[in-house]
Amino acid sequence: NHAWVAGTDQMAGVPMIWNVATGDVTMFVYLDSVDMELYWEVSPMMGSFHAVNNNGVAVGGLNTADYVSHPIMATADGNLTYLYYSDADAGSEAYGISEDGRTIVGFYFDEDWKTTACVWTENGTVRTDLPIPTSDQIEFPLDYVSARWISSDANTILGYAQDSNTGAWVACAWQMQNGEYVFRSLSNGYFQTYYYIFFRQYFLY
């Protein structure tokens, strides 16, 4: 219904939810027991929302005192909560939310900074990895898979995978089948490798 906008207040560097109909803006200043001036000096961007549904529920990531991005969910009345986050994660971000708010998508980093696409359910308390494409499906080795958008009915998830050798990005999709998400490539065998090599050669020579 286009009633809500969510993102970042660039001046303050904090997540915000804007009610377009009323003009009300809710800003989420969360300092995690760190002095405000000191925190902004070392980390001016505290966090951002990346998506909001028609109920005004937003999801994103928040940089806390450990300087690591943690996945968050918030409502326009000022209630902010963390999504599931493992101590083994080097960072995590939520990027999409279904209309009913029951399914959230995004990714997390491991200690080698490789990303895994995932979904959060049960009010963000349960995290499940999305199926990783096999070499037969994607045709190249990959270390980075991210989910960035989910349909309102939660049946389709869009994201991307990155070729570990060339750096090319390929669009990916997961679709709900028999109660589980199944990976589906959108590339049809066409990748951005040619363009990557072209620019690489241009700058090298």
Side-chain angles (χ1 to χ4, degrees):
N1 58 19
H2 307 289
W4 303 92
V5 174
T8 305
D9 181 279
Q10 294 290 343
M11 293 298 293
V14 296
M16 57 171 282
I17 300 176
W18 174 28
N19 185 325
V20 178
T22 65
D24 294 332
V25 177
T26 304
M27 298 176 64
F28 295 81
V29 180
Y30 186 79
L31 299 177
D32 202 18
S33 302
V34 176
D35 177 78
M36 182 185 300
E37 293 182 1
L38 175 63
Y39 192 96
W40 284 355
E41 180 181 347
V42 297
S43 182
M45 291 303 299
M46 294 178 62
S48 178
F49 292 125
H50 302 302
V52 61
N53 65 14
N54 283 334
N55 296 314
V57 182
V59 294
L62 186 69
N63 298 319
T64 52
D66 53 6
Y67 310 108
V68 173
S69 181
H70 294 255
I72 55 172
M73 176 174 59
T75 56
D77 60 5
N79 181 31
L80 186 150
T81 58
Y82 283 111
L83 305 179
Y84 172 82
Y85 182 88
S86 169
D87 290 338
D89 297 343
S92 184
E93 295 267 348
Y95 267 87
I97 182 171
S98 62
E99 188 54 42
D100 60 12
R102 298 177 61 183
T103 308
I104 300 165
V105 301
F107 64 91
Y108 63 91
F109 292 94
D110 65 16
E111 59 183 8
D112 295 321
W113 297 101
K114 298 178 181 180
T115 59
T116 300
C118 62
V119 299
W120 288 271
T121 54
E122 304 296 329
N123 292 319
T125 61
V126 176
R127 185 180 72 188
T128 305
D129 293 355
L130 287 169
I132 298 176
T134 65
S135 58
D136 290 338
Q137 291 173 312
I138 209 68
E139 300 181 23
F140 57 73
L142 53 91
D143 292 326
Y144 306 94
V145 184
S146 175
R148 293 298 180 116
W149 176 87
I150 185 170
S151 60
S152 59
D153 60 9
N155 286 331
T156 303
I157 297 172
L158 298 179
Y160 58 79
Q162 184 182 23
D163 186 333
S164 304
N165 291 330
T166 69
W169 300 91
V170 177
C172 298
W174 294 265
Q175 291 186 316
M176 181 66 72
Q177 295 182 8
N178 299 321
E180 296 182 352
Y181 286 108
V182 177
F183 173 78
R184 180 179 162 214
S185 174
L186 297 180
S187 64
N188 293 322
Y190 294 94
F191 309 114
Q192 298 175 4
T193 307
Y194 168 78
Y195 299 99
Y196 176 87
I197 293 174
F198 171 81
F199 285 112
R200 183 180 180 187
Q201 290 176 339
Y202 176 81
F203 285 112
L204 284 177
Y205 297 103

